[in-house]
Amino acid sequence: MFGVDRGEGRLAGAFTLAERVFHATVRQARKGHGNALVALGMNVLQTVVFLAAFFLLFMLLGIRGSAIRGDFMLYLMSGIFLFLTHVKASGAVVGSEGPASPMMKHAPMNTAVAILAAALSALYLQFLSLSVVLFAVHVVWHPVEINDPVGAFAMFLLAWFSGVAVGLVLLALKPWFPNFVQIANTVYSRANMVFSGKMFVANTLPSTFLPYFTWNPLFHAIDQARGYTFVNYSPHYTSWSYPLIVSAILLLIGLMGEFYTRRHASMSWSAGR
């Protein structure tokens, strides 16, 4: 009897938490714009601009032939989608409500809900953008054929998860070093423009250059995604386990740091800044 009551209480608590996360996610997704369709449209537009810019860059430099043999637009999308998802997930978590935020004064709200809502809102917008752009290319331009859609989507989720893990570590440091975290997040996002490997594949890199890229979990996720996307590409220098392990370690460090920061948080931290 007591076990049943305890189980029902846990189930009710889980539903309550899920409801909080849902409402916080909706609020986070609509933060950029009051109209959800406009917010999605702006996200899709950013993706299209990235695709057009890199398409023109490859055409003007005459390096289109260096890409994987197959659908060139799918080659670009497999890199840009994962790059944007990783960077936006990291930025969303870093920008989530901290322990000293006025939102934390509301009893049902806590930092765990805020972090989870920021991460899910980024995933929601990027998944919708991915679906819209892929559907548009498939209908308007040419049919899109992915060799292993499940594996490619798993790498998309891995890119998001690794971005959340990196963002959580920076979020734990944010109340202590706000200026440093802001600069570090910007530098990390800009560095991934090159070190994510979205403009080339690992198999074509000289061995002397590989160490400059293999440290990056996103580099592995993008290269593995292309291995699942194209039937004639097999990654030799990357693995999906590396970004998963690194992200899990960073997530653990970020959670411990966030717990410590939350216990020492004070509304007066930002008074002198």
Side-chain angles (χ1 to χ4, degrees):
M1 179 176 179
F2 290 106
V4 173
D5 292 340
R6 195 173 299 169
E8 290 178 353
R10 289 175 180 173
L11 185 61
F15 276 116
T16 302
L17 178 61
E19 184 181 7
R20 280 188 225 160
V21 171
F22 172 76
H23 289 295
T25 303
V26 172
R27 174 181 173 273
Q28 187 73 23
R30 295 170 66 97
K31 184 183 291 186
H33 199 282
N35 190 315
L37 289 178
V38 174
L40 174 61
M42 292 173 63
N43 211 64
V44 171
L45 181 62
Q46 184 183 20
T47 304
V48 171
V49 169
F50 260 86
L51 285 171
F54 279 97
F55 183 84
L56 291 176
L57 179 65
F58 272 76
M59 295 297 291
L60 291 175
L61 295 180
I63 55 176
R64 177 173 175 174
S66 63
I68 300 174
R69 183 163 51 90
D71 189 346
F72 179 64
M73 184 55 69
L74 196 57
Y75 168 80
L76 290 180
M77 288 190 290
S78 62
I80 290 173
F81 279 140
L82 269 68
F83 164 76
L84 288 176
T85 301
H86 180 87
V87 170
K88 285 185 176 292
S90 174
V93 172
V94 172
S96 63
E97 307 284 351
S101 170
M103 279 296 295
M104 297 303 129
K105 294 181 180 179
H106 299 276
M109 191 65 176
N110 54 55
T111 53
V113 173
I115 293 169
L116 191 56
L120 290 178
S121 66
L123 177 63
Y124 170 74
L125 286 175
Q126 289 305 120
F127 175 72
L128 285 182
S129 299
L130 167 69
S131 303
V132 170
V133 173
L134 278 178
F135 179 77
V137 172
H138 183 81
V139 172
V140 177
W141 199 334
H142 59 261
V144 174
E145 296 182 6
I146 299 175
N147 180 48
D148 185 353
V150 176
F153 184 70
M155 294 304 102
F156 171 80
L157 292 178
L158 186 57
W160 168 78
F161 178 63
S162 59
V164 170
V166 171
L168 189 58
V169 172
L170 293 176
L171 179 65
L173 294 172
K174 188 177 178 180
W176 305 94
F177 312 103
N179 294 329
F180 166 77
V181 168
Q182 184 177 4
I183 295 172
N185 186 51
T186 302
V187 170
Y188 179 75
S189 301
R190 299 296 182 268
N192 268 314
M193 289 288 290
V194 176
F195 293 103
S196 64
K198 66 178 181 296
M199 296 183 292
F200 46 83
V201 291
N203 288 4
T204 62
L205 277 178
S207 58
T208 53
F209 285 97
L210 276 173
Y212 295 105
F213 298 90
T214 50
W215 62 268
N216 190 356
L218 181 58
F219 177 75
H220 289 257
I222 289 178
D223 197 57
Q224 287 293 310
R226 285 168 172 161
Y228 288 113
T229 301
F230 295 94
V231 68
N232 54 2
Y233 180 71
S234 298
H236 298 306
Y237 303 107
T238 60
S239 67
W240 59 264
S241 60
Y242 172 79
L244 182 62
I245 294 172
V246 170
S247 299
I249 294 173
L250 290 178
L251 187 69
L252 181 61
I253 294 173
L255 288 173
M256 291 190 298
E258 196 278 330
F259 175 76
Y260 179 83
T261 300
R262 180 164 25 99
R263 294 192 63 181
H264 294 79
S266 171
M267 292 296 291
S268 62
W269 276 5
S270 59
R273 298 190 178 112

